[in-house]
Structure formats: structure tokens, C-alpha cells
Amino acid sequence: MTERVRGALTVLLSAHRPEPGRRAHILSVLSAVQEAFGYVPTEAVPLIAGTLAVTEADVTGVLSYYPDLHTVPRGRHVVRVCLGEACVANRSTALLESLCHEVGAGLGQTTSDGRLTIERVYCLGNCAVGPTVMVDEQIYGRVGPEELHTILESHP
Amino acid sequence: MTTTLYLSNDTSARAAGADRLAHAWAGERDLQMVRTSSRGAFFLEPLVECDSPAGRLLWPRATLSDLPRIRAGIGGVQLADVPFLAQQQRFVFSRFGQTEPLSLTQYRAHGGWQAADRVAGWSSERIIQEMKASGLRGRGGAAFPVWNKWDIAQRTASDQKYVVANADEGDAGTYCDRMIMEGEPFRLIEGMLICAKAIGADCGYIYCRWEYPAAAETMRAAITEAERAGVLTVEGRPFRLEVFRGAGSYVCGEETALLSSLEGGRGMVKVRPPYPAVAGLYGKPTIVSNVLTFATVTEIVSRGAAWHLALGTERSKGTVALQLGGRIRQPGLIEIPFGATLREVLERFGGGMADGGRFKAVQVGGPLGSLFPESQLDIPLCFDAFNDAGAVLGHGGIVVFDDQTDMVELARHYMTFTAEESCGTCIPCRIGSVRSRELLERIERGQGTPVDLELLADLGETMKATSLCAHGARGPYPVLTAIEHFGPEFRSRLRNIDP
């Protein structure tokens, strides 16, 4: 963690000190840190625990529990293929496999150029126009291999 | 003359191309675009609508080049000519596709906010009595009588009580809560205010899963709008309502896990009792109900309990919001009274299989629901018929699979999900799901033996009987029903020789 990140983190955490008589809200703090830095650096755990007056184990417990909290930086774009049943019925598993093959990165991995991280998601509620792919915050429907190719090209 | 076009702003409509049309046409002269909620006929999206002397005209699956025709009023179809829409009996979703989600004025003009106004002169007991008379059961999956929960929370003395909307609709194949939050957010707020008045709460939360970014954003904006209009109140006092975003854990849809998550910790299941209605958020009486339940409360108060009681079957009153998906021609949301059979729904609304595929199985009730083969499609869609069949209606998700589906692979997929999403609190779920997944992986690789199928059945029975919550207790159902109905597929993958 650089001094710059440490400084920014300290400022961020100062806004999240628990109110007197209130329990520390670990999940909100971790979500805020992830929003600011794209991930939660594990080196930040002692600082977060200190600010919230909880143990490092408490913070690590929450951090390790939620699938959407990440402890390593991800690619410039996160591509999530939906593996909810409605999308699976419409062959999203094969779509995910062909995507991994095309970009040369496995599930949960980031391409060597740091451009794309490949993830799966269980249901974006877009079941009626699946298969569904989410790139960053953008949700695409009726995505076949060709559409996926075009979508990825629009996210350099 | 300016032409006004209506396009849905719902996530699925946008994903299907509504945004692309809206952006492309944004610079057109004499053209105004209104972004509405969605009718839920997603197979028709992007669906462009325009007013005509004969009422709204619809242009399904519109493309960029359709604009001149739409402007000229050529080729539009009427609502009554779309059987998928015309054959429904919509109440909770009656206004969907017509109004702008964040306009409180339009919501009121179309009959919204009547319920909140009506309960102003009612006592807590009167509201709870109305819920009891309506026969409303929770729509999130557990189907518990709503009045009963409210009554317990109302009778429990406390300095603080909470109302929590469970917007962690995590069952794959379901999206009615997302549609309500994105399309008619004031309906949810109204239902929550009625509950708050009934139990005496002055604070509420909407626990929204992170997979629904647009829903969370719309709810936040709607809360701000309701505050600004001075209607976010209970008994004349401000009602504090906040949206809280989850972080990707499926189990957080279970009420005790949801509350642990809302308190800021790990979202893990707790042993009940005590039930949240007695000791929930921060140990205070809390009503946790899903979004559709609160949305239905609004409708019941505004139409009266008798309306709700008159629809449905003996013990499943009112309407069911079914969400059709998978390999069918007409995926989308329908609202009809409880009691139609699965076959009727698939035939009348599903429109047959997509792209010439042949029917193989249908799953009802999300990743913890059972699989039904063709021979079982005559089951009526209501809580009790499903309960008697050892199945669940769950959140009303219906996913159709075609004959290209490999049932062994699908069963392994389900158990992978159950294992990955187990919160780990109880051993049957934590270990049983991982062992079941391993067995299914072995069978999928062609290395399984008949003993593995017995072990799977045994593990399944243990998980069903001894897990703390529905995740572990229901997790084996898709796998066990897959083996039950498609046994030969599993057995043909086994190694020929016993070890």
C-alpha cells in the first residue's frame, strides 16, 4: 500500500467512525473502500479494524464472506457471465467457456494485459432476455458468441 | 406535431435494446421519448408504444428503421391483440408499462397512494385485521401468513421496531421484485409504510442485492422524492427509510442472514426462534417481507381484503406473479390468480419451445426448487399443491429446459451453486453440499458407481432433515428430482464395474 493510498484510506475511514453507542458497520466500510480503490487491500485491514474499534478477525471475517468483496485488483473491465438457471438453459455455460478460451483467462482470472477479469454471477434478474452478460455496470441481453465479441470490442 | 413514444426503462428492456433505440432517436425532430416501467412481456422488447385515437399501439421488437412507420402509426398492434398480455389478470402489475417510475404525481393519478391515504384513519388492529381477512401469505417463498407476523411484532413491546423489505431476490429465474423496484418504487414504499403503521415502526430498510444496481438507484431516488413530497411519514412522524446494498451472498435472502448482513457482519443464518418479529434487527421486533409481499399489501388496502380473498385457491389467495424463462418462445412476467396448472401457463403464455427445441424439464422455484418432467405438468400453481408434491413455488420462477440439456451437468451445476453459496453455519449444508458436488463431478466424468447414487440420496435426505435453513434443506431437491425423473441419464454415465 503506497503512502498515497494510505492517506486516501485514512480520509475515507474518518467518515466511517462508529457513532457512540452504535455497532461498527464493517460491511458498509468495506464496500466504501472497494468503491474507492476497486478492491480492499489486505494491508488495509489493521487500519480499518483500528478505526472501527473491532478486531482484525472481525474485518477479515466479513471481507472473506461476501463474494463481491475483492482483495486483489481486477482488470480494467469486469466481465460477468450469468450462470443463473434461465441463462444456463440458454447455453450461458458454453458462452463462458468460449469467452475464457477467446481471451485466454480462466474463471476468476484477469487477462495478462490487465484489461479483462472474467467472473460469473448467479442471476441478474435479466432472465427473460438472457443469456446475460454484465460488463462493469452495463447489462447486455440475448448475448451469443458474436454479440459478446462486439460487446468486448466496445470496452477497450 | 410532436410524437410521443413510450419505451421501458427496465433493466431487461434496456438490455434487449430499448436504450439503443432511445439514444439513436434522441436527436430526432418533433419526437419526445418517455421512459416507463415495463409490461414484463420481455420477449417483445424492445417494445415501442405510441398513443393513437384507439388507445396505445405497440411495436414489438422494434428496430431503428421502424421510426417512420411508428410515426405514421403503421403496423402497430393493440394490447388486446397480444394474448400474452390480454389473458392475464393484473392487479399488482396493472399499471406497469404506463407510468414513469419516479413520478409520484403520475403514480397518484393512476390510483397509487390510495392505500396510504386510506390507512390514515385506521388503527393498528384494523390494518392487521384487514391482512387477516385477505388471507395474504408471504410471496418470498415461505408463504407465512402476513397478518400473523405483523400481529406478533405489534404485540411485542419495544422502544424501536423495524420494517425491512427483503429485496435480495436471489432465485435464478425470478425478477418480479426487480421490476417492482425499477418500475413502481412508490408501491413498495406505500406497502412498507402501511406495515410500519401496523406494528409501530419508524425506521425501515430495503436490503437490495448488488446484482440490481438500477433497482437500488431507483429506490433511492423514490425515497428522496417521497421525502420531498412530505409523504414518507407514519402517524405524522417522519419514517426513516434507507436502501442498503448487499455484497453478493445468496443466503442473505434468508431473513436471519439478511439481518446479520444488515447489521454489518457476515450474513449467516441464525437458529430460530426467536423470530425476527420478536427479536430481529439489533434485537428489536422486525418485519422482514419480500418486495412483492409489500406491493400486494398496497393493493389489498386499496381494493379491500374481499378482493384478495375472492381470487385464487382455497389456501392460496390472490394472484401469483410468475416469471417465465429458459428455452420458451415468450419469456416474461405474468400475473394470474393462483391455481392454473403449470401446463396451462406454459401453453397459454410460454408460447411453446424456442427455436424448435423439444421440452425436457421445467424447474419451478429457483435453484432450490424441484424439476418437473412432462408427465407432471398438471400440478396447480399454488402453495399447497406444491407442498403436497414435496416441491416449492418459491418466488414464482419458471425455467424451461430443452432436450439438449445434460441433466447430469445441470445437477452438478445446482450442487456447485449450493456449495458455493452455503453460509457454512450448519454442517449438513456446508459439508453435505460439497460432498454431493464431488459425487456429481465424479459421475459427470464417467467415474461414478451405483454406490455414489445411493450416497447422493443419503446425503440429500440428511441435508433435508437437518439443515438450519432452506438453503441446505432445499438444496438437494433439484438434484434428487433430476435423478428421479432422468435416472437412466445418470446411470448410463456410471462406470460399468463396481469398485
Side-chain angles (χ1 to χ4, degrees):
Chain A
M1 194 164 52
T2 62
E3 273 314 304
R4 198 179 58 81
V5 171
R6 180 180 295 275
L9 196 59
T10 310
V11 173
L12 175 75
L13 289 178
S14 66
H16 283 88
R17 283 182 202 285
E19 295 164 37
R22 247 350 224 193
R23 216 174 305 189
H25 209 295
I26 302 170
L27 177 53
S28 297
V29 173
L30 293 175
S31 297
V33 170
Q34 175 157 304
E35 201 175 313
F37 301 102
Y39 72 111
V40 182
T42 39
E43 306 95 282
V45 169
L47 199 59
I48 295 167
T51 311
L52 296 181
V54 295
T55 67
E56 289 181 35
D58 289 329
V59 177
T60 308
V62 177
L63 183 53
S64 63
Y65 183 75
Y66 292 97
D68 194 43
L69 293 177
H70 302 273
T71 52
V72 288
R74 291 179 292 165
R76 284 200 302 283
H77 301 293
V78 179
V79 183
R80 296 181 174 100
V81 177
C82 181
L83 292 187
E85 280 80 64
C87 285
V88 166
N90 282 308
R91 330 280 188 239
S92 68
T93 312
L95 188 68
L96 175 61
E97 274 168 24
S98 73
L99 168 67
C100 288
H101 184 76
E102 187 182 328
V103 304
L107 186 59
Q109 295 177 348
T110 301
T111 54
S112 52
D113 59 2
R115 179 176 153 234
L116 304 171
T117 298
I118 311 301
E119 294 183 354
R120 55 116 184 95
V121 58
Y122 287 122
C123 200
L124 290 159
N126 193 45
C127 321
V129 295
T132 304
V133 173
M134 186 184 200
V135 182
D136 303 329
E137 290 266 291
Q138 183 79 33
I139 296 173
Y140 299 88
R142 297 178 190 141
V143 181
E146 276 178 35
E147 287 85 359
L148 184 56
H149 191 79
T150 314
I151 292 166
L152 292 183
E153 279 184 340
S154 67
H155 291 85
Chain B
M1 200 182 76
T2 300
T3 308
T4 303
L5 300 184
Y6 302 89
L7 278 103
S8 164
N9 200 36
D10 178 277
T11 290
S12 287
R14 284 160 54 193
D19 268 357
R20 204 169 52 237
L21 297 181
H23 290 152
W25 295 341
E28 292 284 335
R29 279 173 51 124
D30 302 329
L31 191 70
Q32 186 195 2
M33 265 165 300
V34 177
R35 302 303 294 267
T36 63
S37 50
S38 169
R39 295 192 188 274
F42 291 116
F43 64 102
L44 301 178
E45 295 285 359
L47 177 64
V48 178
E49 302 187 18
C50 189
D51 286 317
S52 81
R56 281 271 179 98
L57 287 177
L58 282 56
W59 279 265
R61 292 260 187 163
T63 62
L64 288 176
S65 57
D66 285 333
L67 186 58
R69 292 169 60 224
I70 298 171
R71 276 196 201 253
I74 300 166
V77 293
Q78 296 204 359
L79 250 172
D81 295 330
V82 182
F84 182 91
L85 292 168
Q87 292 180 21
Q88 296 184 42
Q89 274 179 269
R90 287 193 163 203
F91 298 97
V92 174
F93 290 89
S94 63
R95 294 186 286 259
F96 276 69
Q98 297 174 50
T99 51
E100 288 175 90
L102 286 170
S103 166
L104 186 56
T105 317
Q106 284 183 26
Y107 181 66
R108 273 185 195 278
H110 284 77
W113 220 263
Q114 276 177 9
D117 290 343
R118 178 169 283 182
V119 295
W122 290 11
S123 65
S124 292
E125 290 77 12
R126 169 86 202 272
I127 300 173
I128 293 168
Q129 189 51 45
E130 192 78 1
M131 289 306 125
K132 190 174 182 179
S134 74
L136 176 65
R137 295 167 73 178
R139 302 289 197 243
F144 193 76
V146 166
W147 77 270
N148 206 341
K149 267 208 255 200
W150 291 20
D151 193 46
I152 294 165
Q154 196 262 335
R155 287 167 191 272
T156 306
S158 175
D159 55 341
Q160 173 90 64
K161 296 179 187 181
Y162 298 98
V163 177
V164 176
N166 182 347
D168 193 83
E169 174 182 68
D171 283 0
T174 59
Y175 42 85
C176 66
D177 289 353
R178 182 187 61 67
M179 276 182 67
I180 291 168
M181 290 190 284
E182 290 185 23
E184 212 166 60
F186 297 115
R187 174 182 279 276
L188 170 60
I189 294 174
E190 207 179 343
M192 291 181 78
L193 286 174
I194 293 165
C195 174
K197 176 163 164 128
I199 67 160
D202 64 357
C203 183
Y205 294 93
I206 295 164
Y207 185 97
C208 186
R209 59 203 300 262
W210 79 259
E211 291 88 341
Y212 288 179
E217 201 180 314
T218 307
M219 283 314 312
R220 286 205 172 111
I223 290 168
T224 306
E225 177 60 20
E227 270 171 350
R228 201 190 55 77
V231 293
L232 201 60
T233 59
V234 172
E235 306 272 26
R237 290 192 304 274
F239 182 74
R240 210 174 79 230
L241 184 57
E242 274 178 45
V243 175
F244 184 87
R245 297 291 299 277
S249 164
Y250 174 76
V251 167
C252 286
E254 194 280 340
E255 59 180 1
T256 59
L258 183 149
L259 293 174
S260 301
S261 181
L262 192 52
E263 288 174 359
R266 288 165 72 93
M268 291 168 72
V269 174
K270 283 185 197 150
V271 180
R272 297 176 299 181
Y275 289 91
V278 176
L281 191 63
Y282 303 115
K284 307 291 185 184
T286 305
I287 291 298
V288 184
S289 282
N290 97 305
V291 171
L292 179 60
T293 307
F294 285 121
T296 309
V297 164
T298 302
E299 201 65 21
I300 289 171
V301 172
S302 106
R303 287 179 187 267
W307 154 76
H308 192 256
L309 196 69
L311 291 167
T313 65
E314 194 188 339
R315 294 189 57 226
S316 301
K317 297 298 180 189
T319 59
V320 57
L322 297 168
Q323 299 122 84
L324 311 181
R327 297 292 292 162
I328 43 166
R329 272 203 10 235
Q330 302 190 155
L333 171 130
I334 59 164
E335 183 184 354
I336 52 171
F338 281 101
T341 68
L342 190 47
R343 190 187 303 277
E344 278 175 64
V345 166
L346 290 179
E347 283 172 3
R348 276 173 59 200
F349 298 99
M353 299 297 292
D355 299 337
R358 285 183 41 201
F359 180 90
K360 183 162 191 178
V362 56
Q363 187 179 35
V364 185
L368 309 178
S370 304
L371 283 157
F372 295 88
E374 215 279 331
S375 62
Q376 286 191 338
L377 293 185
D378 293 309
I379 184 169
L381 290 154
C382 64
F383 299 128
D384 303 294
F386 269 66
N387 196 32
D388 293 346
V392 281
L393 197 48
H395 211 64
I398 297 180
V399 176
V400 177
F401 295 94
D402 68 12
D403 57 348
Q404 301 285 305
T405 311
D406 176 340
M407 295 317 260
V408 179
E409 187 190 329
L410 186 65
R412 191 261 307 147
H413 168 83
Y414 283 126
M415 203 39 90
T416 304
F417 170 81
T418 306
E420 281 185 9
E421 293 293 337
S422 172
C423 80
T425 301
C426 66
I427 294 166
C429 177
R430 182 178 70 228
I431 297 174
S433 60
V434 173
R435 287 295 294 128
S436 300
R437 190 202 68 210
E438 288 168 354
L439 290 167
L440 285 159
E441 282 169 350
R442 196 151 76 191
I443 297 168
E444 198 182 0
R445 283 197 306 265
Q447 294 166 353
T449 66
V451 177
D452 291 339
L453 282 179
E454 283 171 37
L455 264 174
L456 262 178
D458 203 33
L459 275 169
E461 291 307 319
T462 308
M463 288 173 72
K464 279 171 157 178
T466 57
S467 295
L468 267 183
C469 83
H471 186 73
R474 295 282 335 169
Y477 278 84
V479 174
L480 297 180
T481 49
I483 297 173
E484 183 189 342
H485 303 305
F486 304 94
E489 253 181 80
F490 285 81
R491 286 192 287 277
S492 73
R493 296 277 271 274
L494 299 177
R495 258 192 345 201
N496 290 324
I497 316 148
D498 266 334

